[in-house]
């Protein structure tokens, strides 16, 4: 009988994270101070991040040791299984072999705790008492609520208002782990109050919630800020996914032909692919597909330019694919894919042609998710469902061409808190929405003038 799961023992949890920075195909543009236009230094970032994370942000060391207390906590759910999706293959009648690396087995149900635990650890080590963050769908907020609980830190979450209302159970989970959750825009910060004054019904956005969390951290001495995606150190922590995956594929006697992942800010997909990028640059044929929603098409319709990470322009300027920091995405259900920018490291790989972006409408994405749930059993998060759609399309192409490709899905999370979205899909109440080009062009006009 063929194995359906490729499992590793706890001893095989990676000892070090893989830092891609020394192996990039082109230099990474530095973050800039928006006032001076000069590269930011550690002193600029020190009010909001602990020093160890600032060092990781710019490190050129290829391997960065994972501290023992972090590895100890990783043992709660890591290594995560690599599954062979035999039933899905059978349903599609494809000669392709489909695998998925299952990050949904973490306590919060996604890849997010991989970095939440590391970030909570470094903050605690440096005497921080309270962490402020934003969350879109609530996945990140719940991961950080869980991680801060383990290190006895207080957690303050600014949750995008549409998700706060659409996903009350993610909020409950954060409360269970002891976090305070505020609907963003809130009355607690200048950025929140300004947004509410401009539009009392403002649905919020990740960019706005980031402004609120950064302001909270900058105005409280005992508080730092934490981001769940986009930044180099976050992508670094997520490489545990790809490092385990590489070992598991070796054990299965496989070489990935296609790696597909969904992209919100870029952390889960980057974590899965970074350990394979060097192989690709040295000539191995691996297609890397980054999948995003048509309603927030950052890679497929955005520009590779310097932009702010937030609406209130409090963050440094990052060189990334962006739809403009003033972009207000529509309320599609994949809340975690609603950010206006993408990680600078992943943006660089897209710009260099190493990674290929692709976008889908939400109805076709939910259709793919249902096919997956009805064959493999696990209900994917709507974010994850984007790359399942891509994997299914690739497997169907293989059926036509009779190619026996090995397709790997970065399965970033389960959808147990997204049942309202599944209900809406099954009742035919979900609408497809491609963001109008003229509105994207409008938001892109607001980009700061830095090259
Ligand atoms: C399950 C899941 N997958 C993917 C994402 C997208 O984030 P990233 O691109 O940083 O992995 C999110 C974000 O909240 C998420 O919850």
């Amino acid at each position: 009988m063929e194995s359906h799961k490729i499992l590793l023992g706890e001893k095989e949890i990676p000892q070090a994270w893989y830092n891609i920075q020394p192996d990039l195909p082109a230099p990474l543009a530095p973050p800039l101070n928006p006032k001076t236009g000069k590269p930011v230094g550690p002193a600029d970032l020190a009010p909001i991040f602990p020093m160890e994370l600032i060092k990781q942000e710019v490190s050129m060391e290829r391997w960065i040791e994972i501290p023992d207390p972090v590895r100890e906590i990783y043992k709660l759910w890591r290594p995560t299984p690599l599954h062979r999706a035999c039933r899905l293959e059978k349903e599609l009648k494809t000669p392709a072999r489909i695998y998925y690396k299952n990050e949904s087995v973490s306590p919060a149900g996604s890849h997010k705790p991989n970095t939440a635990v590391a970030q909570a650890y470094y903050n605690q080590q440096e005497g921080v008492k309270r962490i402020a963050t934003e969350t879109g769908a609530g996945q990140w907020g719940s991961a950080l609520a869980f991680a801060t609980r383990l290190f006895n830190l207080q957690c303050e979450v600014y949750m995008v208002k549409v998700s706060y209302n659409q996903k009350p159970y993610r909020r409950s989970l954060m409360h269970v782990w002891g976090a305070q959750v505020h609907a963003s825009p809130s009355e607690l910060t200048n950025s929140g109050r300004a947004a509410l004054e401009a539009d009392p019904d403002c649905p919020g956005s990740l960019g706005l919630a980031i402004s609120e969390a950064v302001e909270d951290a900058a105005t409280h001495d005992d508080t730092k800020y934490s981001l769940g995606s986009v930044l180099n150190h976050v992508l670094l922590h997520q490489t545990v996914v790809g490092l385990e995956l590489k070992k598991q594929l070796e054990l299965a006697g496989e070489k990935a032909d296609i790696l597909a992942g969904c992209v919100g800010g870029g952390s889960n997909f980057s974590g899965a692919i970074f350990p394979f990028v060097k192989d690709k640059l040295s000539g191995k044929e691996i297609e890397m597909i980054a999948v995003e929603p048509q309603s927030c098409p950052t890679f497929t319709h955005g520009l590779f330019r310097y932009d702010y990470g937030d609406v209130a322009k409090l963050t440094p300027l990052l060189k990334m694919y962006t739809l403009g920091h003033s972009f207000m995405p529509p309320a599609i259900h994949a809340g975690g894919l609603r950010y206006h920018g993408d990680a600078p490291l992943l943006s660089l790989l897209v710009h260099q042609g190493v990674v290929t972006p692709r976008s889908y409408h939400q109805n076709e994405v939910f259709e793919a998710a249902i096919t997956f749930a009805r064959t493999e059993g696990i209900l994917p998060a709507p974010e994850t469902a984007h790359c399942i759609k891509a994997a299914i399309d690739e497997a169907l192409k293989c059926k036509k061409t009779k190619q026996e490709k090995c397709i790997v899905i970065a399965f970033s999370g389960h959808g147990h808190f997204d049942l309202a979205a599944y209900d809406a899909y099954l009742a035919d109440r979900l609408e497809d929405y491609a963001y109008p080009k003229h509105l994207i062009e409008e938001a892109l006009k607001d980009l700061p003038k830095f090259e």
Side-chain angles (χ1 to χ4, degrees), residues 17 50 52-53 56 65 67 118-126:
W17 293 297
E52 206 48 44
L53 293 177
Q56 291 182 0
E65 197 183 322
Q119 293 192 43
Y121 167 77
Y122 289 118
N123 273 288
Q124 189 232 31
Q125 288 291 295
E126 295 185 28

Side-chain angles (χ1 to χ4, degrees), residues 29-52:
L32 301 181
N33 181 316
K35 289 197 186 94
T36 62
K38 300 240 163 68
V40 296
D44 295 307
L45 299 174
I48 55 169
F49 292 116
M51 199 41 77
E52 206 48 44

Side-chain angles (χ1 to χ4, degrees), residues 278-337:
K278 222 169 149 192
D279 301 340
K280 178 159 184 173
L281 293 174
S282 56
K284 288 218 176 98
E285 273 186 37
I286 312 175
E287 204 178 338
M288 299 175 170
I289 308 175
V291 190
E292 60 186 14
Q294 284 263 3
S295 57
C296 190
T298 317
F299 279 140
T300 47
H301 286 86
L303 298 177
F304 186 48
R305 288 273 301 275
Y306 271 108
D307 196 9
Y308 300 95
D310 70 326
V311 171
K313 307 181 188 176
L314 299 175
T315 68
L317 294 163
L318 301 175
K319 178 96 179 260
M320 58 184 177
Y321 277 90
T322 178
L323 292 166
H325 56 273
S326 59
F327 177 83
M328 272 288 167
I332 66 151
H333 284 284
L337 307 184

Side-chain angles (χ1 to χ4, degrees), residues 110-112 139 228-229 262-268 336-337 381 383-384 412-413:
S110 77
H111 63 294
K112 301 279 181 184
Q139 285 271 18
S229 189
C262 66
V263 173
S267 71
N268 89 88
L337 307 184
E383 291 85 0
T384 312
S412 57

Side-chain angles (χ1 to χ4, degrees), residues 41-316:
D44 295 307
L45 299 174
I48 55 169
F49 292 116
M51 199 41 77
E52 206 48 44
L53 293 177
I54 296 173
K55 282 192 204 152
Q56 291 182 0
E57 196 60 21
V58 293
S59 172
M60 288 304 272
E61 297 290 322
R62 187 166 286 121
W63 296 100
I64 294 179
E65 197 183 322
I66 304 176
D68 280 343
V70 173
R71 287 185 84 238
E72 255 331 287
I73 294 174
Y74 278 173
K75 283 185 192 164
L76 287 172
W77 72 95
R78 302 211 73 82
T80 61
L82 177 69
H83 303 248
R84 171 102 184 253
C86 297
R87 287 181 171 76
L88 177 63
E89 290 170 15
K90 219 170 176 181
E91 170 77 15
L92 301 174
K93 299 187 181 64
T94 175
R97 296 178 307 286
I98 306 175
Y99 290 86
Y100 57 103
K101 173 71 172 157
N102 187 4
E103 290 298 306
S104 79
V105 297
S106 82
S110 77
H111 63 294
K112 301 279 181 184
N114 296 332
T115 182
V117 170
Q119 293 192 43
Y121 167 77
Y122 289 118
N123 273 288
Q124 189 232 31
Q125 288 291 295
E126 295 185 28
V128 175
K129 300 283 180 254
R130 187 173 167 275
I131 301 187
T133 196
E134 73 294 323
T135 194
Q139 285 271 18
W140 168 243
S142 49
L144 194 67
F146 155 69
T148 46
R149 171 61 25 199
L150 298 184
F151 288 104
N152 270 327
L153 302 170
Q154 207 184 314
C155 184
E156 219 64 44
V157 183
Y158 292 85
M159 183 171 188
V160 177
K161 202 196 275 169
V162 275
S163 299
Y164 186 92
N165 294 327
Q166 267 173 8
K167 304 199 177 187
Y169 296 120
R170 275 273 162 209
R171 211 192 320 151
S172 312
L173 194 55
M174 289 183 254
H175 287 149
V176 165
W177 277 315
Q180 300 242 39
V181 190
H182 315 285
S184 168
S186 76
E187 293 284 356
L188 299 170
T189 64
N190 289 332
S191 340
R193 285 187 292 270
L196 287 171
E197 209 170 284
D199 174 9
D201 297 322
C202 176
S205 70
L206 264 183
L208 183 52
I210 292 174
S211 300
E212 291 210 87
V214 170
E215 189 182 324
D216 182 318
T219 51
H220 291 85
D221 283 345
D222 61 349
T223 306
K224 296 277 186 213
Y225 166 69
S226 165
L227 187 63
S229 189
V230 178
L231 297 178
N232 303 346
H233 66 266
V234 180
L235 276 50
L236 169 83
H237 301 152
Q238 293 296 353
T239 59
V240 284
V241 178
L243 293 167
E244 287 176 8
L245 171 61
K246 216 167 181 191
K247 267 196 195 166
Q248 287 163 311
L249 286 172
E250 272 164 30
L251 278 177
E254 292 280 15
K255 286 199 182 81
D257 295 303
I258 297 175
L259 292 171
C262 66
V263 173
S267 71
N268 89 88
F269 181 56
S270 299
I273 65 161
F274 280 4
F276 296 84
V277 165
K278 222 169 149 192
D279 301 340
K280 178 159 184 173
L281 293 174
S282 56
K284 288 218 176 98
E285 273 186 37
I286 312 175
E287 204 178 338
M288 299 175 170
I289 308 175
V291 190
E292 60 186 14
Q294 284 263 3
S295 57
C296 190
T298 317
F299 279 140
T300 47
H301 286 86
L303 298 177
F304 186 48
R305 288 273 301 275
Y306 271 108
D307 196 9
Y308 300 95
D310 70 326
V311 171
K313 307 181 188 176
L314 299 175
T315 68

